[in-house]
């Protein structure tokens, strides 16, 4: 309920999928393991495992990055086009334009006028959608494999031939304003998280909501949309992912016939983002709202992401987040709910897909008699213990086993395969980075986990959010520095 969503979509929020996949289904892996002979005893150090070759990458002459992931278990295919641009790339004063343009991309081209795109995909028996994040904008279709050529042609067409009328812009602007009202303004938890992000990122545009600030959204116009489109929507700024019942050479030929005919942008496409300054104090944001149910406390820490971390750090943070906050076995839940009875529910997450940084977050939901002070103190106690004492080998092994199991299970979904490669490549990583992830995870030690806890779970880089029920007709947001002496780093 309180996981921090970082993507907005045309119909629903896009999820950050942090799972990667192996080549064979689970049953096949188990069967192969049963058939394999036991290894002979050896005193030699085992060689590093080579990642299974899952994806095939091609760079077209116009710069388009094509990644093909064959999976022949069903005659279906997922196509995704990832543009390396998101809400954090918006010019000042036009917040929400990346998400607004995502909506407008369904308004048609000269070849397909009007809102025909999704209708045609549906007539072909498929489905489609799109989402916008701080760092990427992605469009995807899932169709029978014999319909791939036609949806690829449609997607290539709207990369360069978008047509917008003033009526289209006005109508869709009303849609995104209503989306903001329903998803954010009418949801106290979302309002709190929006304010927490603004407090956590004091200069970097990650502090601006993906959907935009309402007063700026109301001013977005046709020229804002087309200017953003012309600047960032180009083949050399895009990644085409095709996963499913296909052969790499066949997909390459289709891509060259469609996307390959689009000329390069011609200008260098740069992301201009201000850096986040050094933080000297933590911040607490309190929201009182009559629509709130139970009192909740949340805590966000800025951390590296997979794209921005030093070697091994993101994997250690992934495991740290799982030890601390995964389900009922996580330390946050066990300490707050089972031991201290300081909350009715508790948990957390690691947001790892950002281009410039990531976040670790924890939350607690009060029971009938719990106070925000109790919950915050209990969260502090868990964080301080991990910083001082680290995690046990047993905890690390259990967390690693869980992540690797999810890694295997995710191969059952071609959409997850496409998303995993798309997220990482759009953030500047490589196919090899994606496929070598299990080996990097296996190399993490308890000392590595303790180090990232000490380095990044520091109060100065955090914001605490408190949501409390308030009397009817009362709503108040308060932001203040944390009390002196709170820092335990």
């Amino acid at each position: 309920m309180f996981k921090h969503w970082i993507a907005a979509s045309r119909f629903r929020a896009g999820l950050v999928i942090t799972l990667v996949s192996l080549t064979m289904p689970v049953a096949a892996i188990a069967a192969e393991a049963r058939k394999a002979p036991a290894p002979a005893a050896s005193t030699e150090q085992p060689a590093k495992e080579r990642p299974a070759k899952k994806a095939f990458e091609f760079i077209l002459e116009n710069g388009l990055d094509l990644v093909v992931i064959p999976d022949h278990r069903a005659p279906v295919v997922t196509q995704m086009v990832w543009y390396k641009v998101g809400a954090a790339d918006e010019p000042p004063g036009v917040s929400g334009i990346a998400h607004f343009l995502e909506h407008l991309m369904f308004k048609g081209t000269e070849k397909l006028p009007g809102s025909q795109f999704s209708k045609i995909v549906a007539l072909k028996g498929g489905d489609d959608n799109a989402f916008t994040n701080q760092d990427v904008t992605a469009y995807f279709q899932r169709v029978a494999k014999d319909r791939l050529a036609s949806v690829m042609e449609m997607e290539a067409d709207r990369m360069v031939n978008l047509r917008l009328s003033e009526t289209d812009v006005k109508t869709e602007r009303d849609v995104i304003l209503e989306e903001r009202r329903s998803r954010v303004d009418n949801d106290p938890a979302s309002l709190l998280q929006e304010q927490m992000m603004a407090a956590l990122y004091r200069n970097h545009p990650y502090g601006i909501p993906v959907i935009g600030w309402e007063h700026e959204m109301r001013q977005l116009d046709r020229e804002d949309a087309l200017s953003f489109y012309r600047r960032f929507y180009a083949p050399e700024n895009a990644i085409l992912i095709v996963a499913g019942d296909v052969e790499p050479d066949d997909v390459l030929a289709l891509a060259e016939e469609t996307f390959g005919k689009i000329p390069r942008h011609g200008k260098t496409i740069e992301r201009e983002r201000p850096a986040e300054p050094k933080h000297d104090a933590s911040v607490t944001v309190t929201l009182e709202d009559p629509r709130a149910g139970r009192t909740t406390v949340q805590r966000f820490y800025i951390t590296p992401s997979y794209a921005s971390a030093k070697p091994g750090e993101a994997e250690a943070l992934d495991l740290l987040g799982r030890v601390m906050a995964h389900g009922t076995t996580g330390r946050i839940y066990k300490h707050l709910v089972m031991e201290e009875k300081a909350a009715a529910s508790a948990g957390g997450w690691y947001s790892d897909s950002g281009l410039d940084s990531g976040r670790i977050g924890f939350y607690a939901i009060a029971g009938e008699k719990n106070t925000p002070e109790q919950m915050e103190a209990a969260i502090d106690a868990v964080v301080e213990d991990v910083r001082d004492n680290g995690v046990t080998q047993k905890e690390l092994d259990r967390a690693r086993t869980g992540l690797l199991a999810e890694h295997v299970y995710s191969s059952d979904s071609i959409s997850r395969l496409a998303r995993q490669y798309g997220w990482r490549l759009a953030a500047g990583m490589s196919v090899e980075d994606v496929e070598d992830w299990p080996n990097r995870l296996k190399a993490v030690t308890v000392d590595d986990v303790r180090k990232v806890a000490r380095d990044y779970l520091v109060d100065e880089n955090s914001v605490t959010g408190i949501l409390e029920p308030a009397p009817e007709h009362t709503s108040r947001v308060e932001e203040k520095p944390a009390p002196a002496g709170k820092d335990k780093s």
Side-chain angles (χ1 to χ4, degrees):
M1 178 179 178
F2 290 98
K3 176 167 180 174
H4 178 65
W5 300 109
I6 64 170
S9 78
R10 189 163 55 104
F11 302 123
R12 57 187 177 271
L15 301 180
V16 180
I17 306 298
T18 57
L19 310 177
V20 289
S21 301
L22 297 176
T23 304
M24 294 187 292
V26 178
I29 294 173
E32 289 297 318
R34 287 193 296 269
K35 291 189 296 183
S42 173
T43 57
E44 294 184 9
Q45 194 74 8
K48 179 183 176 182
E49 295 178 36
R50 290 184 175 272
K53 181 67 176 176
K54 182 66 182 178
F56 299 81
E57 186 173 24
F58 309 90
I59 306 297
L60 275 58
E61 288 188 11
N62 60 8
L64 180 79
D65 190 355
L66 168 64
V67 176
V68 184
I69 310 165
D71 187 321
H72 301 295
R73 291 173 298 165
V76 294
V77 63
T78 291
Q79 171 180 269
M80 299 192 77
V81 176
W82 296 74
Y83 291 98
K84 292 180 278 187
V85 60
D89 301 299
E90 297 166 340
V94 290
S95 64
I97 192 63
H99 174 236
F100 188 30
L101 177 59
E102 175 217 309
H103 280 240
L104 293 171
M105 285 287 285
F106 291 85
K107 293 301 179 182
T109 65
E110 187 173 333
K111 186 179 294 186
L112 288 176
S115 303
Q116 296 188 46
F117 193 102
S118 295
K119 294 177 183 177
I120 292 174
V121 173
L123 287 171
K124 294 178 182 294
D127 57 74
D128 74 316
N129 210 323
F131 58 85
T132 304
N133 160 276
Q134 293 284 11
D135 300 297
V136 301
T137 308
Y139 303 84
F140 59 93
Q141 303 85 38
R142 182 174 55 193
V143 294
K145 69 175 185 177
D146 61 348
R147 309 297 170 89
L148 174 62
S150 59
V151 295
M152 189 178 288
E153 182 179 0
M154 291 162 59
E155 195 66 84
D157 179 36
R158 69 174 173 179
M159 178 180 279
V160 286
N161 296 317
L162 182 64
R163 297 291 182 267
L164 298 178
S165 69
E166 292 291 352
T167 301
D168 290 334
V169 172
K170 182 179 183 302
T171 301
E172 209 59 37
R173 187 171 57 219
D174 291 340
V175 170
I176 62 169
L177 285 166
E178 176 56 33
E179 186 177 340
R180 181 182 167 86
R181 282 190 290 271
S182 64
R183 290 187 178 178
V184 181
D185 300 336
N186 291 333
D187 181 0
S190 294
L191 283 172
L192 176 67
Q193 291 183 359
E194 186 175 84
Q195 294 299 318
M196 289 177 66
M197 289 294 287
L200 185 66
Y201 290 99
R202 302 166 196 179
N203 192 51
H204 192 283
Y206 283 172
I208 300 171
V210 172
I211 201 165
W213 300 117
E214 182 181 356
H215 69 287
E216 293 183 349
M217 294 167 67
R218 290 189 178 279
Q219 304 302 317
L220 297 178
D221 59 25
R222 179 175 178 272
E223 185 51 41
D224 292 329
L226 289 175
S227 176
F228 198 76
Y229 174 72
R230 296 185 191 110
R231 179 180 175 187
F232 290 109
Y233 280 53
E236 67 267 39
N237 201 44
I239 302 166
L240 173 62
I241 309 283
V242 178
D245 191 14
V246 293
E247 296 297 338
D249 290 343
D250 295 339
V251 177
L252 175 61
L254 286 176
E256 288 177 334
E257 280 297 308
T258 52
F259 288 96
K261 294 180 179 179
I262 301 172
R264 281 179 173 267
H265 190 289
K267 297 180 181 179
T268 302
I269 302 173
E270 295 182 350
R271 290 175 147 176
E272 301 170 359
R273 297 180 175 186
E276 185 69 12
K278 181 179 180 294
H279 292 190
D280 296 316
S282 59
V283 173
T284 297
V285 177
T286 300
L287 171 63
E288 296 177 355
D289 195 301
R291 299 167 298 179
R294 294 183 176 182
T295 298
T296 66
V297 173
Q298 298 186 62
R299 172 79 55 75
F300 296 169
Y301 293 89
I302 296 178
T303 69
S305 62
Y306 269 92
S308 64
K310 298 173 185 176
E313 279 190 334
E315 292 79 11
L317 285 163
D318 226 345
L319 289 162
L320 172 66
R322 194 171 181 98
V323 169
M324 293 188 71
H326 181 72
T328 58
T329 62
R331 286 195 182 188
I332 290 286
Y333 184 92
K334 288 195 292 187
H335 183 70
L336 271 71
V337 179
M338 300 173 66
E339 297 169 0
E340 294 294 314
K341 305 294 190 291
S345 182
W349 42 266
Y350 171 45
S351 176
D352 64 21
S353 63
L355 177 64
D356 299 321
S357 69
R359 288 174 303 284
I360 277 186
F362 308 117
Y363 70 85
I365 304 173
E368 291 183 6
K369 298 181 180 180
N370 301 130
T371 67
E373 291 78 15
Q374 279 182 302
M375 293 189 286
E376 186 175 1
I379 291 173
D380 285 341
V382 177
V383 171
E384 184 175 5
D385 182 46
V386 170
R387 275 196 313 222
D388 291 347
N389 304 310
V391 303
T392 66
Q393 187 66 49
K394 182 178 179 180
E395 287 177 314
L396 177 60
D397 290 342
R398 183 173 60 225
R400 182 161 31 221
T401 298
L403 284 176
L404 290 172
E406 290 176 359
H407 167 89
V408 175
Y409 299 148
S410 67
S411 65
D412 284 338
S413 168
I414 61 172
S415 294
R416 286 187 179 181
L417 286 169
R419 283 175 180 258
Q420 175 58 30
Y421 281 89
W423 278 117
R424 299 305 186 215
L425 269 64
M429 300 174 71
S430 68
V431 168
E432 289 72 22
D433 290 332
V434 177
E435 295 179 346
D436 191 47
W437 177 80
N439 287 324
R440 299 198 307 274
L441 198 75
K442 292 173 185 177
V444 175
T445 67
V446 290
D447 289 338
D448 296 330
V449 175
R450 184 181 183 187
K451 183 176 187 307
V452 294
R454 286 182 166 184
D455 289 347
Y456 299 112
L457 296 186
V458 294
D459 293 329
E460 297 97 328
N461 288 335
S462 74
V463 60
T464 300
I466 299 172
L467 175 62
E468 295 187 277
E472 203 67 35
H473 309 302
T474 300
S475 184
R476 181 172 69 89
V477 178
E478 180 182 3
E479 179 179 324
K480 59 183 180 180
K486 180 177 184 296
D487 185 18
K488 309 180 188 65
S489 61

